[in-house]
Amino acid sequence: MGIGVIGCGNMGSMLAKAFSQTVEKQVWVYNRTPAKAVELSRQYPHITAELDLSNWIQNCEVVLLCVGKKDLPHLLAQVAPMLQDHQLLGTTCTAFSLAELGKHCKATPFLCVPSLTQHVNKGSILLSVPPSHTSSVTQLQTLFAAIAKPIFIQESQIRIFSDLTSCGPAFFAEILLTWSKAAANTRRITENEAREALLATVEGTLELLHSGMTMEEIQSSITVPGGVTSRGLDVLHEPLLQVFRRLHEATQAYAKQNNKPYQNCGCEPPDDPQLACQKVWPHAKI
C-alpha cells in the first residue's frame, strides 16, 4: 500500500519528497491548486498527482493531511468517509486533537510534527497516537524511520517537544547568528569569520556526541576549574535558563491562544461522500 499526502505546502511537499526518495512505496499527492501537485510528480518519479481522491486514497496505508486549521474541517469531511479501519490518518495541524481527528473516521488518527531537517532525512519527527491505538506504533515507526528519528509522545507533550524539534533549527540558527554578531562586535574578526568558526565547531561537537561522549563529558573535558571556559559557563548558565524558560512560556501562550477549537462552517463528514463540502477544496473528486 502507498502513502497519501494532501496539501503540497512546505510541510506536505517536504514529506512527499522524503518518502518518495526513501521508501519503496507509491506516494500520491493532492493539492487545492493542482499545479503544485503536478509539478512535484514531474520532479519525482515515485510521486503521482491525482485529482480524484477516490482513485488512490483507499490504496494508502497512511494518509497525511498537511493543511492549516481553517482548511482541515472541510478536508476531513471529504476524506473521512473514504477511509477504513486498517488505515492511518494523520495531520500536521496540531490545533486539532486526536479526539477531534478520529471522531468521524474509521481510520486510526495520529498527529505528526515534522521538522525542516527532514529535507535531509535527519532530525526528529514527532508522532502521537491515541492510547487505545498503540498497535499502530510499530507501523508508524517503520514508515517514518526512513526519513527521521520518530519520537512517540503524549498529546499533552506536543508543544514542548515541538520547541525542541520542529522550532529547534530556527532557535539554534538564531543562537549562532547572535553569537557571530557578538564576536564581530569585538572588532577583531568579521561576522562571516565567526560564522565559519562556529559552524565547524558545531559539526565537530556533533561528531563527539555521535562517538559516544555525553554533553557533560564534553564540558568536563574542556573546563579547568577557574579557567576561561569555566568563567564563560558561569556567565551563560543562569541567563540561558531564564531565556529558555521565557521561550517556552511564549510558545505555550501563543499555542493556547491560537489552538482554540475551530468553529468551522458546520460541515460534518456525511454518510454519502458525494455530499462532502466542496467549499475549500473544490477540485476534489470523490
Side-chain angles (χ1 to χ4, degrees):
M1 298 185 75
I3 301 167
V5 178
I6 301 179
C8 297
N10 291 336
M11 283 190 184
S13 295
M14 177 184 70
L15 291 173
K17 292 175 186 177
F19 282 127
S20 72
Q21 295 173 316
T22 57
V23 299
E24 296 182 357
K25 295 178 183 292
Q26 184 64 44
V27 178
W28 283 277
V29 294
Y30 171 81
N31 195 63
R32 178 168 52 186
T33 52
K36 284 187 177 181
V38 171
E39 183 59 28
L40 272 178
S41 68
R42 288 174 178 168
Q43 295 176 9
Y44 299 89
H46 295 296
I47 294 179
T48 300
E50 178 62 71
L51 285 181
D52 191 339
L53 293 175
S54 64
N55 281 348
W56 58 267
I57 202 166
Q58 293 180 350
N59 295 323
C60 294
E61 64 174 302
V62 174
V63 177
L64 277 167
L65 307 182
C66 302
V67 300
K69 180 172 68 171
K70 292 183 178 180
D71 286 353
L72 188 54
H74 312 289
L75 182 58
L76 186 58
Q78 293 174 315
V79 170
M82 293 184 282
L83 298 174
Q84 303 302 315
D85 55 10
H86 66 275
Q87 294 175 289
L88 300 171
L89 176 66
T91 180
T92 56
C93 178
T94 57
F96 268 63
S97 68
L98 287 169
E100 290 173 313
L101 188 62
K103 184 178 179 182
H104 300 287
C105 183
K106 293 180 181 179
T108 298
F110 70 95
L111 299 178
C112 172
V113 184
S115 167
L116 183 69
T117 53
Q118 270 85 78
H119 273 295
V120 291
N121 299 327
K122 296 289 185 180
S124 300
I125 190 162
L126 304 178
L127 299 167
S128 184
V129 299
S132 58
H133 290 77
T134 54
S135 59
S136 62
V137 167
T138 300
Q139 186 178 358
L140 290 170
Q141 169 76 31
T142 301
L143 178 64
F144 283 94
I147 65 171
K149 178 181 179 180
I151 298 180
F152 288 88
I153 61 175
Q154 298 176 20
E155 193 170 1
S156 61
Q157 297 174 311
I158 285 179
R159 180 63 266 145
I160 181 63
F161 266 107
S162 295
D163 287 350
L164 304 177
T165 61
S166 185
C167 303
F171 296 155
F172 281 127
E174 177 62 21
I175 290 170
L176 295 175
L177 286 169
T178 302
W179 197 353
S180 298
K181 292 175 182 177
N185 286 341
T186 66
R187 300 178 182 274
R188 298 186 181 183
I189 61 174
T190 66
E191 189 171 334
N192 283 337
E193 288 173 330
R195 287 190 189 188
E196 185 177 347
L198 283 170
L199 289 175
T201 302
V202 168
E203 290 175 357
T205 303
L206 288 174
E207 287 299 318
L208 290 174
L209 292 168
H210 290 154
S211 73
M213 288 188 74
T214 66
M215 289 181 275
E216 292 82 2
E217 287 172 340
I218 290 174
Q219 286 189 327
S220 63
S221 297
I222 299 171
T223 305
V224 176
V228 64
T229 304
S230 179
R231 296 292 178 89
L233 290 173
D234 288 343
V235 170
L236 290 174
H237 183 70
E238 188 59 33
L240 278 182
L241 280 176
Q242 296 303 317
V243 165
F244 287 115
R245 177 185 61 78
R246 290 168 54 198
L247 181 151
H248 293 311
E249 288 176 350
T251 57
Q252 180 66 38
Y254 179 86
K256 186 176 181 180
Q257 176 64 30
N258 288 273
N259 287 0
K260 293 179 179 178
Y262 179 65
Q263 300 300 316
N264 62 39
C265 67
C267 302
E268 293 290 340
D271 294 330
D272 181 357
Q274 295 296 334
L275 300 178
C277 173
Q278 298 283 310
K279 183 176 179 180
V280 177
W281 296 75
H283 298 291
K285 297 178 182 178
I286 57 177

